[in-house]
Amino acid sequence: MRARPCGGPADLDGDRVIALVLRLSGPAILGISAHALQMLVNAWFVADLGAAAIATIAIAYPVTLLVAALGYGAGIAAASQVARALGAGDRDRADEAASLGFWLCLPAGGAVTAAILADTPAWLGLLGADAPLAAAATPYTALATIGTALMLVMIVGGFVVRAQGHARLSGAIMIGSFGLNILLDWILIRLCGLGTAGAGWAAIGAQAAGAAAYGLHFVRARGPDRIRFRRPGGGRIRPGLLPEALRLAVPATGSSLLAAFAMALFVEAAAPYGDAAVAAQGLALRLILVAALPLLGMMAGAQTVLGHAAGAGRDDRLDQTFRFVTAASLAYGVVVGGLMFTLAEPLTALFAQDAETAREGARATAAFAVAFAPVGLQLTAATLFQAIGAPRRAAAVSLAAQGLALIPPLLILPRLFGYDGVLASRIAAEFFADGLGLALMLAWLSGAGTRRAGGAAPVEGGEAMEMPPAHEAAHQRA
C-alpha cells in the first residue's frame, strides 16, 4: 500500500475495500449526521410554535425538493463519471464530467427557484395546501427555496470531491454548514422570535457559507486535486459526456421530483384527518429521514469505490464492495427500524407539543419504521447501478423507491381503510422497491457469474455508455 500524507485523498486503487468504504463513508456519515442533528434541532425549535408551524415546514419540503432534485441528479451523474474516469486514468474526462455536473444543475436550479418565488402560494396550493396554510407557509417556503438553490453548489461539489477521494473535506464542509444552521436557528427563531421565517433565513446563511467553502476549495486546489473547469461548446467538453450524464441524471432527478409529488399526495391524503395528521406525517418522515442519513453517507462513500473499481476493471474490488455494503445496510436497517418501532411514542413526544399530534406521530413513526427495515436493498441497488453506469436499472429502483410504487396504493388504500390506509401505503411501496432492488441485484450477480464461467453477460443496447476501453469489462456486467 502506498504511503500518503495525513488528511490526503484515499488510495482508491490500493486500500483494502472494507477499510476504504469506511474511510470514505465516515466523514460523509458525520456530515450527514450533522444534517440530521440540524433537522432535529430545527424540529424542536419549530415545535414550540405549534402544529401550524410544523405543518408549514412539512408542506414546504416538497417545494424545496423541486430545486434540490436538480443537484442530486447532476451530482450523482458527475460522481459516477468522475470516479470511473479517474479509475481509468483519464483526468481530462474527469475535469469535463465535474464541470458538466455544475452546468447541468445551476442554470436550471436558478430558473426553477425564480418560478417558485414568482408565485409561491400557487405552488403550495398545487401540493394540497388550503388558502390559510398557503399564506402562512409562503414566507418560509420562499426563503427555504433560496437556501436550497445555494445548496446546489454544496450538493454537486460534495459528489465531485468524494469521487476524488476527498471524503474528509466534504464531511468538514457539511458539519460546518449544518452546525452554523443550528446556531442561526437558535438566534433567529428563539432569540429574535422570527418564527418559521427565521428558519428560512438560517438556511440561507448556512448554505451560502457551505457554497463559499466549496468555491474556495476549487479555486485554491492544485496538483491532482485541481478541477480544470470547462465551458460547454467549442470542444471544451466532449460531446459524448452529455448524453451519458443525462442518462444518469434524469432518472435521479426524476426520482426526486417524483418524491416531491408523492409527498404532496401524502399531505393531501392526510389533510382530511386534520392538522394533527399532517403534522404527524411531517414528524414521522423527518425521523425516518434522520435514521436514513447514516445509510446515505455510507452509500456516498461506496459509490466512489464502486465507480472507481468499475472504471479500473477491478471486478474483485467491485464484488467485495457490493457484498459488504449490502450486508451492512441490511443490518443497520433492521436494528434501527426495530428501535424506532419500539420507541415510537417517546420519540414523537420529544417534538410534539399536543397529545393528538404525539399520538398520531407515534402511529406514523411505527408504520414507517416497519417499512425502513429492508431499505438497504433499494439503496444498495440504486448506488451500484449509478456507480457502474447502468442507468436503466438505477432508474427502475430509484423511481420505484421515490414514489412510483407509492402512488397506486396511496390512491386506493385510504379509500378503503382511512388514515390506516395512508400509513399502509408507505409500507407497501417500500417493500415493493426493496423487492425490485433485490431482483435486479440477483440478476446482475447471475450475469457476473456466467461471465466468469466463460459466458457473456448481455449488454442492453440503450444502457451502454460511451467510455474508455478500460471501462468495458466492468460495464458489460451491468
Side-chain angles (χ1 to χ4, degrees), residues 153 169 173 208-222 229:
V153 177
L169 173 64
I173 292 177
Y214 273 114
L216 183 63
H217 164 72
F218 287 126
V219 167
R220 299 178 65 177
R222 293 292 182 268
F229 285 98

Side-chain angles (χ1 to χ4, degrees), residues 171-190:
I173 292 177
M174 284 193 288
I175 291 171
S177 176
F178 293 122
L180 177 61
N181 204 327
I182 291 173
L183 176 62
L184 292 175
D185 274 339
W186 175 66
I187 293 173
L188 298 177
I189 298 175
R190 280 288 175 86

Side-chain angles (χ1 to χ4, degrees), residues 377-378 381 433-443:
L377 292 173
Q378 58 179 269
D434 293 325
L436 177 62
L438 176 61
L440 291 174
M441 288 190 294
L442 290 175

